[in-house]
Amino acid sequence: MNRTRLSAAVALAGATALVLTSCSSSSEEGQATPASSSAAPASSSTAPSSSAASTSSGAASNATVYTLPGTGVFPEGITADDDTFYVSSTSDGAIFRGTVGNTTVEPFLPGGQDGRTGAAGLDVDGDDDENTLVVAGGATGTVWIYDAESGALRGKFTNGLGQDATFLNDVVIADNGDAFITDSRNPTLWRIPANATGEGRLEPFVDFTGSPFAYGEGFNANGIVEADDDNALVIVQSSTGNLYRVARDSKAVTQVDLGGATLQNGDGMEMEDDTLYVVRNRDSLIATVDLDDDGNRGRVTGEITDPSFAYPTTVADVDDQLLVVNSQFDKRGGTPVEPFTVVGVPER
């Protein structure tokens, strides 16, 4: 779902799991009937954990494949600090932690812990001694803050809305330490102030009602990044493919000028230098956008595809490669290829 910081250069439990299946879909069609319990056993199919992997379609890929533990994972979010990356599971809220170059990813935070029955976007800030990991909880309406090294819970914040009224989809930790969280169902951008701890309510930062960012059918606000000059946030609307800019100081909302282009099915985003990477989940590709420093204008410059992509949702940039989450959301209620994976492809 998020802007990665790199020092060198990823019943409520059952009901929540059902709603979380749609976390990256841009239309009702994409919100396939989920059932983590119906996933095929891992032994039914095994994805390779090496480069030059074969995909389910039989095509060859030069991607590096990172395997996630467990079955029925249906991952969504990814964020990275240096060569350490974190991945979320929509099925039970588990968080996994991996290292670039080691193709086996390990459990980090168990599913269900701290009431985390579902997890979508996440972001990590390792630029200071805090080592903060922030996790957006989808239909739970909750955001959790953890120590990214120890896994200790630091904070838990909720918007108090019912699961049909909210979907906390993606998160970015701004350079000042504030965390901003998109809501795909409620026209609100939420904020958690820097260094906030304990339990409390999420703070509404911007109400999009009456702004150019008009909510409609399907999923709305999804991926979020901080513009290069740190004065604005940029959000993709999945259902329309539009980008919107939110000024940090005035809270003014404007549509980013893409010269008539759109980013339909836009999901997770990553900002690296002047390039904005936008995952277009249903289209199984990553769009590259040359974005102005202030986030007002952009130009779509190309697309990144790979045979290893399987309904990709989010991306993290690490050491000149892109780590891409294969959610397989289109196989909810069917037979996904297990184990679930993250793939590393060259940045370009």
Side-chain angles (χ1 to χ4, degrees):
M1 225 121 1
N2 11 77
R3 182 177 182 174
T4 305
R5 290 169 170 79
L6 304 173
S7 64
V10 116
L12 176 61
T16 299
L18 293 178
V19 181
L20 273 165
T21 62
S22 59
C23 64
S24 298
S25 302
S26 60
S27 67
E28 291 300 322
E29 180 184 356
Q31 299 171 22
T33 303
S36 60
S37 61
S38 67
S43 60
S44 64
S45 180
T46 303
S49 46
S50 63
S51 60
S54 296
T55 66
S56 57
S57 64
S61 168
N62 289 321
T64 299
V65 181
Y66 297 88
T67 59
L68 304 178
T71 60
V73 173
F74 292 100
E76 202 277 346
I78 190 168
T79 185
D81 177 52
D82 290 334
D83 59 354
T84 300
F85 61 91
Y86 303 82
V87 183
S88 65
S89 166
T90 61
S91 296
D92 63 0
I95 306 298
F96 309 102
R97 183 166 64 182
T99 303
V100 174
N102 183 347
T103 56
T104 300
V105 181
E106 301 293 339
F108 179 53
L109 301 174
Q113 182 186 58
D114 307 316
R116 192 176 11 84
T117 54
L122 65 173
D123 198 12
V124 64
D125 184 357
D127 285 350
D128 53 28
D129 294 332
E130 294 300 318
N131 293 311
T132 302
L133 177 68
V134 181
V135 180
T140 67
T142 302
V143 178
W144 293 266
I145 301 176
Y146 291 96
D147 184 300
E149 291 187 356
S150 69
L153 178 67
R154 292 179 178 170
K156 183 177 178 180
F157 299 87
T158 181
N159 59 19
L161 301 177
Q163 64 181 22
D164 293 332
T166 188
F167 195 93
L168 302 181
N169 204 327
D170 204 2
V171 56
V172 64
I173 303 174
D175 278 353
N176 70 348
D178 289 354
F180 295 90
I181 304 97
T182 60
D183 195 323
S184 297
R185 289 184 172 153
N186 186 288
T188 303
L189 179 64
W190 305 94
R191 182 180 81 110
I192 299 175
N195 303 314
T197 58
E199 295 193 19
R201 286 282 184 169
L202 285 171
E203 170 194 325
F205 183 71
V206 171
D207 182 350
F208 293 120
T209 304
S211 78
F213 196 161
Y215 271 44
E217 295 295 324
F219 263 48
N220 292 278
N222 200 324
I224 182 171
V225 297
E226 188 175 32
D228 205 42
D229 67 0
D230 301 337
N231 291 322
L233 304 164
V234 176
I235 302 170
V236 66
Q237 184 176 25
S238 294
S239 55
T240 65
N242 295 331
L243 289 181
Y244 292 94
R245 179 185 188 273
V246 178
R248 291 272 303 279
D249 49 4
S250 67
K251 301 184 181 181
V253 180
T254 55
Q255 185 173 340
V256 177
D257 181 2
L258 293 177
T262 60
L263 300 162
Q264 196 76 25
N265 305 317
D267 199 326
M269 302 197 299
E270 174 82 321
M271 190 76 203
E272 180 65 18
D273 296 327
D274 293 328
T275 300
L276 175 66
Y277 296 98
V278 184
V279 180
R280 295 176 56 188
N281 51 38
R282 287 179 175 277
D283 304 296
S284 200
L285 60 86
I286 301 171
T288 56
V289 180
D290 185 3
L291 189 69
D292 288 357
D293 287 350
D294 58 13
N296 282 303
R297 299 171 194 79
R299 179 174 60 90
V300 178
T301 57
E303 297 175 349
I304 298 171
T305 61
D306 192 87
S308 65
F309 290 175
Y311 210 110
T313 49
T314 46
V315 61
D317 186 291
V318 182
D319 296 337
D320 298 325
Q321 69 174 312
L322 300 176
L323 300 181
V324 184
V325 174
N326 284 326
S327 74
Q328 297 191 68
F329 284 164
D330 55 336
K331 291 183 171 60
R332 286 279 194 181
T335 306
V337 177
E338 299 206 60
F340 287 85
T341 64
V342 169
V343 293
V345 298
E347 173 191 295
R348 53 187 187 273

